[in-house]
Amino acid sequence: MSEACEILHRWANTLPRLNASYAAGEVPKNGIYLVFESGELAHGGNRIVRVGTHTGKDNLPKRLHEHLFKPNKDRSIFRKHIGRCLLADDPFLAQWNFDLTSRANKVKFADRVDMLRQHDVEARVSQYITDNLEFVVFPVKEKHERLELEKSLLATIKCCADCKPSPNWLGLKHQAEIIREGLWNIQGFGGQPLNVSTVQALAFHTEARES
Ligand SMILES: [Zn+2]
């Protein structure tokens, strides 16, 4: 077990929990979010199953809305991953994997995507999120700090022996081995893991800023 990860989890578990019914005003404009999921436990509390942030200035509330509610998996890789697992044994998965963001792709795939099915899967993803996920957020104002810290948080959790998925975790149905290891993240693992004092500083700094 990683002591730094233990402190990280103990702290994250004390932050105010937000779920699908959060109000935009409860979310800082710039920051990092951590996701918890039903049935996923570590360090005597809820296990962090995803770390995320945003690049655009003042964009955290919008980014969270895209992940949690906006029925468009091509704007949220998180939604796409959840859908991939809900569709693990379903041939529609191939269509779900198309990226329909660009106009060119919309035209290209127009005849190849069953849009009724796609809307149905988007609704299932939203329902899964509403039923199973909670998240916490903390402010980090500067973009480069957010991106660095996101990588360090991921590295900290990744190398922790206590942070493993439960046998029933939805992510175990994902095609990518890196997701099956326990986090709904594929990229950004190249950071330096936090040590005990940097996690303590993060928790203290955030509490001081909030009060
Ligand atoms: Zn851990």
Side-chain angles (χ1 to χ4, degrees):
M1 183 194 77
S2 149
E3 195 183 347
C5 192
E6 163 118 9
I7 297 168
L8 168 66
H9 274 79
R10 283 189 189 283
W11 169 64
N13 272 271
T14 66
L15 294 174
R17 275 314 155 86
L18 302 172
N19 58 26
S21 59
Y22 78 101
E26 295 177 273
V27 178
K29 286 181 177 169
N30 297 287
I32 287 182
Y33 65 89
L34 307 171
V35 180
F36 299 122
E37 187 167 346
S38 313
E40 296 306 306
L41 303 172
H43 303 289
N46 289 103
R47 180 172 77 83
I48 296 167
V49 298
R50 177 178 167 84
V51 178
T53 188
H54 58 105
T55 51
K57 189 173 182 292
D58 297 338
N59 212 27
L60 180 59
K62 180 167 174 244
R63 201 69 193 108
L64 276 171
H65 181 78
E66 284 173 346
H67 285 313
L68 303 177
F69 302 116
K70 200 167 182 188
N72 181 353
K73 42 86 177 167
D74 294 322
R75 290 292 303 154
S76 164
I77 190 66
F78 186 25
R79 294 184 66 88
K80 203 156 187 170
H81 288 324
I82 290 173
R84 282 169 176 159
C85 295
L86 295 175
L87 291 167
D89 304 316
D90 188 322
F92 184 72
L93 175 61
Q95 295 179 41
W96 180 257
N97 279 329
F98 294 147
D99 184 341
L100 305 177
T101 308
S102 70
R103 185 179 289 266
N105 273 8
K106 274 199 190 95
V107 173
K108 183 175 163 191
F109 294 124
D111 299 336
R112 293 165 61 188
V113 176
D114 178 343
M115 290 311 287
L116 275 179
R117 270 308 310 276
Q118 177 151 320
H119 293 318
D120 172 58
V121 180
E122 291 280 8
R124 284 174 62 199
V125 170
S126 292
Q127 193 63 51
Y128 184 84
I129 289 172
T130 301
D131 292 346
N132 294 285
L133 302 189
E134 290 188 308
F135 61 100
V136 298
V137 288
F138 57 94
V140 183
K141 202 166 177 207
E142 300 302 330
K143 176 179 163 184
H144 71 274
E145 270 185 52
R146 288 197 296 277
L147 298 179
E148 277 305 301
L149 185 53
E150 179 189 36
K151 279 193 266 181
S152 289
L153 289 165
L154 285 169
T156 306
I157 299 164
K158 191 79 176 169
C159 67
C160 173
D162 199 38
C163 283
K164 299 297 169 205
S166 76
N168 298 320
W169 186 48
L170 180 67
L172 295 177
K173 295 185 175 176
H174 203 283
Q175 288 177 315
E177 188 181 354
I178 194 158
I179 295 248
R180 296 199 302 272
E181 288 173 4
L183 287 164
W184 291 108
N185 291 78
I186 279 192
Q187 292 177 325
F189 287 101
Q192 186 72 26
L194 300 170
N195 59 36
V196 168
S197 59
T198 46
V199 179
Q200 284 170 336
L202 170 69
F204 179 77
H205 187 53
T206 304
E207 274 161 24
R209 206 160 13 187
E210 280 174 349
S211 58

